[in-house]
Amino acid sequence: MHRLIEKGLMFGNLIRVDSPVLVERYNRALMHLTGKQTQQDVFHIDISGYSPEIGDEFDDTLYLNHAGVNRQFILLSTEQARAPLLNAKFSTARGILKQFITENRAELFALTARDAVAGELVNSVYLADSPARLFDIRKVRIEADTTTGTVAMADKLGRLIDRFKTEQDAWFDDVLIAQMIGMAKQTGDVMRNPVRLQQMEFDQENFWTDLFGGIYLFRGVEHPAAISAKDKEDLGKLPIEFLFDLTDRSAIAKFLKLNDLVEPIIDARGVDAAAILQQKMDFIVMEVAATMGENLTGATRRDLRRLGRQYAKLLPEAWQGLAALVRWAEEDGPWPKITSEHPAYFYTLRAKPHADADLVNMLLAELTPLDIRQLFICHKEVFYRAYATWPDEKRAYVADFLDREYQVDKAGTREALYGHEAPMEEPRANVQADLITRVGPWGAVGRRG
């Protein structure tokens, strides 16, 4: 993985922690959540506070994500909102954390000026020991506070102030006044600067989970279904009528069409569809050439065209189908009949602009593994696993291509491919303006998601 790390394609945009003060705060939060402390004095953290260096130290990539079900987090800075989420077990987790930080930015900025904020993404499932248990996950709420309980103490101080204002003899209650003064020394002036975090709860209808080999769960659509990356028979009986795996191509195609989740790239407005399809063809040529042991270092599109001619007889049916579609688009060739059983079919689709576009593009990426760019952009967990199995020739080309063609203009590439730069919509929260008083490479704390 060294190529990906060197080019910022893996562990990119992590937050560096090298201040003794921040390390000490992180250790307090880590002890608060897990009962452990790190010996590292310099490390990097993702949006949840997970550090790949500490994961190596503990030999536990889930030290803030026990059993992968209720993800815990440590916030040292609001800057973590721009960091990725490593070792994601649920597709919604990063969006939830990002929205929590964004919606509480001013409050978190004030709290993290003096202490770390520790918390957890909590649902009613503490252990997903069977695929069926995933269906019990309906909502996720966020619980958070500083390691010294500033938020909870501010809530208690607020209630004491209310008593002082409303009780008739409160001015003469020396005990009450002493309590308020003592708490105010720790919380500050909660009347002028309320230490208050929004209580946020997120519906979990449609999501992907890495558990059990990878499952896409679509419950918030007109025709619900679950789609497994592994053999569906291994999942046992699930509380949903339709269960598919990635070999059920026609059934998945029908599911996507019935729920109006995808559109043909060739019909998408404002994109160069032929160029997108041609790039997918180049990736397929690259796969064949790498398999044949060709040196792909610095390979250009011209080089790939040459290799395509050289290995024309070895190019798979997926390439042939895309080529026919490009001929139709560019040269007024005959319309190719590409059905859902055709290997090229899912390569011709992208998600429509809707709230679950990113989830649908994740699914399409897994259905089209030869499109290495889409796999990297939309499904990094699967990309990294696949990358580790590729021949060195392919790894070198892919790392160089992504560095040269994607890293330089991420927003522009996403706009061209999918019609939007960021997720179509962050997870929607049911928010109440209230205090949250409870806290419950490499690849989280008591419970997680």
Side-chain angles (χ1 to χ4, degrees):
M1 298 291 186
H2 68 280
R3 288 192 185 95
L4 298 179
I5 297 172
E6 289 172 355
K7 296 178 182 296
L9 297 166
M10 190 175 189
F11 309 133
N13 291 329
L14 296 181
I15 305 299
R16 180 181 173 90
V17 180
D18 54 11
S19 158
V21 172
L22 292 181
V23 172
E24 192 273 333
R25 290 178 186 173
Y26 186 92
N27 262 330
R28 286 207 311 269
L30 192 60
M31 177 62 72
H32 179 71
L33 291 172
T34 70
K36 299 178 180 179
Q37 288 195 321
T38 179
Q39 299 303 310
Q40 307 287 330
D41 52 15
V42 178
F43 51 89
H44 299 79
I45 58 175
D46 69 3
I47 189 173
S48 74
Y50 168 79
S51 167
E53 294 98 331
I54 297 174
D56 269 359
E57 177 188 0
F58 293 166
D59 193 24
D60 181 7
T61 60
L62 297 179
Y63 73 89
L64 283 182
N65 193 11
H66 179 69
V69 180
N70 290 271
R71 185 147 198 151
Q72 295 174 307
F73 59 88
I74 298 172
L75 299 180
L76 297 178
S77 166
T78 55
E79 289 300 304
Q80 286 173 237
R82 62 182 176 84
L85 178 66
L86 303 181
N87 302 326
K89 295 300 181 183
F90 286 84
S91 59
T92 54
R94 184 180 184 275
I96 289 173
L97 283 168
K98 184 176 179 180
Q99 187 170 339
F100 172 70
I101 297 171
T102 301
E103 294 291 330
N104 294 280
R105 184 174 295 276
E107 294 81 2
L108 289 171
F109 183 83
L111 290 171
T112 56
R114 296 191 295 176
D115 198 359
V117 172
E120 185 174 356
L121 309 187
V122 181
N123 63 65
S124 59
V125 175
Y126 297 156
L127 178 65
D129 53 359
S130 71
R133 291 296 302 278
L134 295 172
F135 290 78
D136 294 333
I137 299 175
R138 292 287 178 176
K139 295 181 182 295
V140 171
R141 73 177 187 275
I142 295 185
E143 297 181 348
D145 203 343
T146 65
T147 60
T148 55
T150 303
V151 175
M153 192 174 300
D155 183 34
K156 186 175 181 180
L157 176 56
R159 292 196 297 269
L160 293 180
I161 292 172
D162 288 339
R163 279 183 54 195
F164 183 77
K165 288 181 175 180
T166 57
E167 291 183 4
Q168 185 175 3
D169 297 324
W171 281 97
F172 306 104
D173 191 334
D174 294 337
V175 175
L176 175 61
I177 294 172
Q179 283 182 305
M180 291 191 296
I181 293 173
M183 290 183 181
K185 290 180 180 179
Q186 298 183 54
T187 66
D189 188 345
V190 297
M191 301 302 292
R192 294 185 179 181
N193 303 293
V195 184
R196 182 166 294 162
L197 298 174
Q198 294 186 47
Q199 187 162 338
M200 308 177 77
E201 189 175 80
F202 300 81
D203 295 328
Q204 300 292 282
E205 291 295 331
N206 305 327
F207 59 86
W208 166 85
T209 176
D210 193 43
L211 302 176
F212 309 105
I215 300 174
Y216 299 83
L217 185 55
F218 291 89
R219 293 180 293 192
V221 294
E222 186 175 356
H223 304 281
I227 301 172
S228 172
K230 304 298 183 182
D231 189 338
K232 62 188 176 185
E233 300 301 328
D234 294 340
L235 300 183
K237 185 173 178 56
L238 300 181
I240 196 167
E241 184 175 359
F242 296 105
L243 171 62
F244 314 123
D245 59 40
L246 298 184
T247 64
D248 297 317
R249 297 175 60 84
S250 292
I252 294 174
K254 185 176 181 180
F255 161 79
L256 294 172
K257 184 175 181 179
L258 285 174
N259 290 295
D260 198 28
L261 295 174
V262 295
E263 63 183 1
I265 295 172
I266 208 75
D267 294 338
R269 300 177 61 182
V271 303
D272 188 345
I276 294 174
L277 296 176
Q278 183 65 60
Q279 184 70 77
K280 293 174 184 282
M281 293 166 60
D282 288 348
F283 293 146
I284 296 175
V285 170
M286 178 270 299
E287 172 73 18
V288 173
T291 301
M292 300 303 295
E294 292 283 349
N295 183 356
L296 296 171
T297 303
T300 64
R301 174 159 289 181
R302 178 180 296 179
D303 295 327
L304 291 174
R305 282 200 299 267
R306 175 182 57 80
L307 291 169
R309 291 190 294 269
Q310 181 177 339
Y311 296 109
K313 292 183 179 180
L314 300 180
L315 294 176
E317 193 175 357
W319 188 94
Q320 306 294 348
L322 291 174
L325 197 55
V326 170
R327 284 194 296 272
W328 172 84
E330 292 188 330
E331 304 170 11
D332 200 25
W335 172 254
K337 186 177 181 180
I338 300 177
T339 68
S340 58
E341 288 297 323
H342 195 291
Y345 179 75
F346 290 109
Y347 287 91
T348 70
L349 302 178
R350 75 174 192 176
K352 280 191 170 183
H354 51 73
D356 293 306
D358 289 340
L359 181 62
V360 172
N361 279 327
M362 283 183 72
L363 173 60
L364 291 174
E366 200 156 5
L367 287 163
T368 57
L370 297 181
D371 186 347
I372 51 93
R373 178 172 57 183
Q374 172 144 327
L375 194 63
F376 177 78
I377 294 173
C378 299
H379 211 329
K380 285 185 173 57
E381 298 299 318
V382 171
F383 173 87
Y384 292 138
R385 285 199 288 266
Y387 181 93
T389 68
W390 294 339
D392 193 62
E393 294 83 2
K394 182 176 179 178
R395 289 200 296 261
Y397 172 81
V398 170
D400 182 63
F401 172 84
L402 292 174
D403 182 47
R404 183 181 68 248
E405 302 287 339
Y406 174 64
Q407 288 281 77
V408 295
D409 186 13
K410 296 179 182 180
T413 300
R414 294 185 183 186
E415 175 69 27
L417 293 175
Y418 311 116
H420 58 93
E421 173 184 347
M424 296 302 300
E425 186 173 317
E426 295 290 353
R428 288 165 288 185
N430 303 317
V431 180
Q432 294 178 334
D434 196 1
L435 296 179
I436 298 178
T437 58
R438 294 174 295 165
V439 178
W442 309 316
V445 287
R447 319 179 294 252
R448 188 235 167 202

PDB file of all heavy atoms in Angstrom, residues 117 201 205 386 401:
ATOM      1  N   VAL A 117     -13.560  16.088  23.397  1.00  0.00           N
ATOM      2  CA  VAL A 117     -14.957  15.666  23.454  1.00  0.00           C
ATOM      3  C   VAL A 117     -15.008  14.201  23.047  1.00  0.00           C
ATOM      4  O   VAL A 117     -14.505  13.818  21.991  1.00  0.00           O
ATOM      5  CB  VAL A 117     -15.840  16.508  22.514  1.00  0.00           C
ATOM      6  CG1 VAL A 117     -17.251  15.934  22.433  1.00  0.00           C
ATOM      7  CG2 VAL A 117     -15.893  17.952  23.001  1.00  0.00           C
ATOM      8  N   GLU A 201     -30.576  12.782  16.196  1.00  0.00           N
ATOM      9  CA  GLU A 201     -30.961  11.394  15.939  1.00  0.00           C
ATOM     10  C   GLU A 201     -31.158  11.207  14.447  1.00  0.00           C
ATOM     11  O   GLU A 201     -31.789  12.033  13.787  1.00  0.00           O
ATOM     12  CB  GLU A 201     -32.243  11.064  16.703  1.00  0.00           C
ATOM     13  CG  GLU A 201     -32.612   9.599  16.689  1.00  0.00           C
ATOM     14  CD  GLU A 201     -33.829   9.316  17.562  1.00  0.00           C
ATOM     15  OE1 GLU A 201     -34.954   9.577  17.082  1.00  0.00           O
ATOM     16  OE2 GLU A 201     -33.650   8.873  18.709  1.00  0.00           O
ATOM     17  N   GLU A 205     -32.518   4.043   7.279  1.00  0.00           N
ATOM     18  CA  GLU A 205     -33.365   3.241   6.398  1.00  0.00           C
ATOM     19  C   GLU A 205     -32.547   2.542   5.319  1.00  0.00           C
ATOM     20  O   GLU A 205     -32.703   1.360   5.079  1.00  0.00           O
ATOM     21  CB  GLU A 205     -34.442   4.126   5.763  1.00  0.00           C
ATOM     22  CG  GLU A 205     -35.496   4.627   6.749  1.00  0.00           C
ATOM     23  CD  GLU A 205     -36.340   3.507   7.325  1.00  0.00           C
ATOM     24  OE1 GLU A 205     -36.532   2.478   6.630  1.00  0.00           O
ATOM     25  OE2 GLU A 205     -36.795   3.642   8.471  1.00  0.00           O
ATOM     26  N   ALA A 386      -9.224  -4.951  -2.855  1.00  0.00           N
ATOM     27  CA  ALA A 386      -8.915  -5.434  -4.195  1.00  0.00           C
ATOM     28  C   ALA A 386      -7.485  -5.079  -4.584  1.00  0.00           C
ATOM     29  O   ALA A 386      -6.762  -5.908  -5.165  1.00  0.00           O
ATOM     30  CB  ALA A 386      -9.905  -4.843  -5.198  1.00  0.00           C
ATOM     31  N   PHE A 401      -2.351   6.657 -12.096  1.00  0.00           N
ATOM     32  CA  PHE A 401      -3.514   7.250 -12.759  1.00  0.00           C
ATOM     33  C   PHE A 401      -4.340   8.078 -11.786  1.00  0.00           C
ATOM     34  O   PHE A 401      -4.719   9.222 -12.088  1.00  0.00           O
ATOM     35  CB  PHE A 401      -4.396   6.157 -13.374  1.00  0.00           C
ATOM     36  CG  PHE A 401      -5.702   6.683 -13.909  1.00  0.00           C
ATOM     37  CD1 PHE A 401      -5.776   7.226 -15.180  1.00  0.00           C
ATOM     38  CD2 PHE A 401      -6.857   6.672 -13.122  1.00  0.00           C
ATOM     39  CE1 PHE A 401      -6.973   7.749 -15.672  1.00  0.00           C
ATOM     40  CE2 PHE A 401      -8.054   7.183 -13.605  1.00  0.00           C
ATOM     41  CZ  PHE A 401      -8.109   7.725 -14.881  1.00  0.00           C
TER      42      PHE A 401
END
